[in-house]
Amino acid sequence: MTKAVDCQCKAFQRAIDVLGRPWTAAILTALQAGQKRFCEIGEAIPGVSDKMLAARLKDLESRGLVARHVEPGPPVRVAYDLSAKGRAFNQVAEAIQRWGRAL
């Protein structure tokens, strides 16, 4: 039995707010394969500027979807990975993809 989705629910609206922001889905998808450095994420997403990528990563980190790892240097290296909440996006993306194919 499928449970009805309440589009007025705060959790639903919060999820739509996150997914509706530019580059969010692309960043989460790029990180599905595992930890990447900033430049690797940028290379995986054609068209995203460094400024926008940095802002989106910071936002996703503050929401607990992306984890930032600092490797001591020199040189200091920063890498990003999905948290457990971020990895859960894969199920959402698969459902959206199935729905999109049916349109």
Side-chain angles (χ1 to χ4, degrees):
M1 181 176 194
T2 303
K3 195 174 186 182
V5 174
D6 178 4
C7 294
Q8 301 303 315
C9 172
K10 288 183 181 180
F12 181 88
Q13 290 300 321
R14 194 169 43 247
I16 294 301
D17 178 50
V18 171
L19 289 177
R21 292 179 185 225
W23 307 106
T24 294
I27 292 167
L28 295 176
T29 300
L31 290 172
Q32 285 293 326
Q35 191 176 76
K36 288 187 175 26
R37 292 181 35 224
F38 184 89
C39 62
E40 294 171 319
I41 299 169
E43 290 169 1
I45 307 171
V48 68
S49 69
D50 286 350
K51 183 178 178 180
M52 177 60 78
L53 180 57
R56 296 304 305 129
L57 284 168
K58 186 175 182 178
D59 179 59
L60 293 170
E61 182 184 5
S62 73
R63 293 175 184 271
L65 298 170
V66 170
R68 183 175 184 260
H69 307 281
V70 178
E71 301 169 16
V76 174
R77 291 185 172 199
V78 178
Y80 297 88
D81 200 3
L82 294 177
S83 66
K85 285 188 340 184
R87 284 190 298 278
F89 168 74
N90 195 46
Q91 295 171 330
V92 174
E94 288 173 355
I96 291 170
Q97 188 170 317
R98 279 192 306 275
W99 181 60
R101 287 183 178 140
L103 293 178

